[in-house]
Amino acid sequence: PLRPEWIDNIVDCEAVFTYTDWGRDLLKKQCGTRGNVVGSMPLGVDKTKFYPIFNKKKVKEYFNFSNDSLVVGFVARNQPRKLFDDVFQAFVLFLQNAPKDVSSKTYLYIHTAYPDIGWDIPHLLMEYGLGNKVLFSYFCKNCQDVFPSVYSDVTQICKKCNNSMASLPRPEDSMPDDLLNLVYNFCDLYIQVALNEGLGIPISEAMCCAVPTCVINYS
């Protein structure tokens, strides 16, 4: 249920729209006739910044990964409602049940911040034994480049310029969209698992990059 103060804010507005039909219907139901919910307007994506790079071999070579590697991506703020625990658990089940020739070359790629207000990422890696199978984005403030790497602390030496200014991207210090476009195109499959969320922005961005998506359908 929406908090009473949220409903009061909605009612105070001259008009309200939502990202999804699900959100529209929820507001109409909980605000009744008091709020002017005019409809839904889906999120847009800037196609000059997010677009498919059809030569995935070239993208993987850029990141020093073999052409036949398989990458499952998850882009999310490190918040409690982003279900990193569920994602890690599901990936373990996949590794246990997939054919060995597939699981051996498959990686989970996480683009998130740590530390932040959500999950203890190093603890999850140890709990599920995924230290060598989960990649993270490291953004170098010196050369302004990004590279995937297994977790080796909040900061590490950049693989491009050998400067010790590469770190996990943070919300207040995010990396440019052209680099995030590379991250999406590095992925062979995109997943999004979260609570209290309609159509998350990264889902639209991944789709714009022609990456197959696998998302929960409750909203």
Side-chain angles (χ1 to χ4, degrees):
L2 296 176
R3 295 178 181 176
E5 61 268 27
W6 294 354
I7 294 177
D8 290 340
N9 288 337
I10 292 167
V11 171
D12 285 341
C13 294
E14 294 181 359
V16 174
F17 68 88
T18 63
Y19 287 158
T20 63
D21 293 346
W22 168 81
R24 175 202 62 199
D25 295 342
L26 184 68
L27 293 190
K28 285 186 174 181
K29 179 180 179 180
Q30 298 201 20
C31 295
T33 59
R34 295 188 297 148
N36 183 23
V37 182
V38 297
S40 60
M41 185 172 70
L43 290 165
V45 180
D46 187 344
K47 291 186 176 181
T48 65
K49 296 180 178 179
F50 296 99
Y51 51 87
I53 302 174
F54 292 109
N55 191 345
K56 278 196 178 292
K57 178 180 179 181
K58 188 174 182 179
V59 177
K60 292 185 178 182
E61 286 178 351
Y62 179 81
F63 285 138
N64 294 317
F65 276 76
S66 62
N67 181 41
D68 66 343
S69 60
L70 298 172
V71 180
V72 180
F74 181 36
V75 176
R77 174 82 188 272
N78 186 359
Q79 300 170 313
R81 69 187 182 90
K82 308 289 186 176
L83 302 182
F84 285 89
D85 184 273
D86 293 61
V87 170
F88 281 30
Q89 183 178 5
F91 191 60
V92 168
L93 291 174
F94 165 78
L95 294 176
Q96 292 173 346
N97 290 280
K100 291 299 181 183
D101 61 329
V102 175
S103 62
S104 63
K105 61 183 180 182
T106 303
Y107 298 88
L108 178 62
Y109 185 19
I110 304 292
H111 182 85
T112 194
Y114 177 79
D116 204 346
I117 60 175
W119 298 87
D120 185 337
I121 298 295
H123 176 78
L124 289 178
L125 291 173
M126 288 190 294
E127 179 181 354
Y128 290 107
L130 289 172
N132 65 337
K133 293 295 286 184
V134 180
L135 307 172
F136 293 87
S137 291
Y138 280 87
F139 173 56
C140 180
K141 296 179 182 178
N142 180 60
C143 67
Q144 296 290 296
D145 208 346
V146 63
F147 60 92
S149 171
V150 295
Y151 181 81
S152 60
D153 210 342
V154 177
T155 61
Q156 63 168 277
I157 296 175
C158 177
K159 294 182 179 180
K160 309 289 189 199
C161 68
N162 292 320
N163 196 292
S164 59
M165 294 183 67
S167 62
L168 299 174
R170 298 183 60 81
E172 65 273 14
D173 189 26
S174 59
M175 66 187 200
D177 285 340
D178 61 327
L179 296 182
L180 188 55
N181 185 62
L182 272 178
V183 167
Y184 285 122
N185 278 279
F186 181 54
C187 301
D188 299 284
L189 174 71
Y190 182 81
I191 61 172
Q192 189 81 11
V193 185
L195 292 172
N196 306 322
E197 182 168 88
L199 178 62
I201 294 173
I203 299 172
S204 298
E205 292 173 342
M207 292 174 68
C208 205
C209 295
V211 180
T213 58
C214 182
V215 300
I216 51 179
N217 64 1
Y218 77 93
S219 62

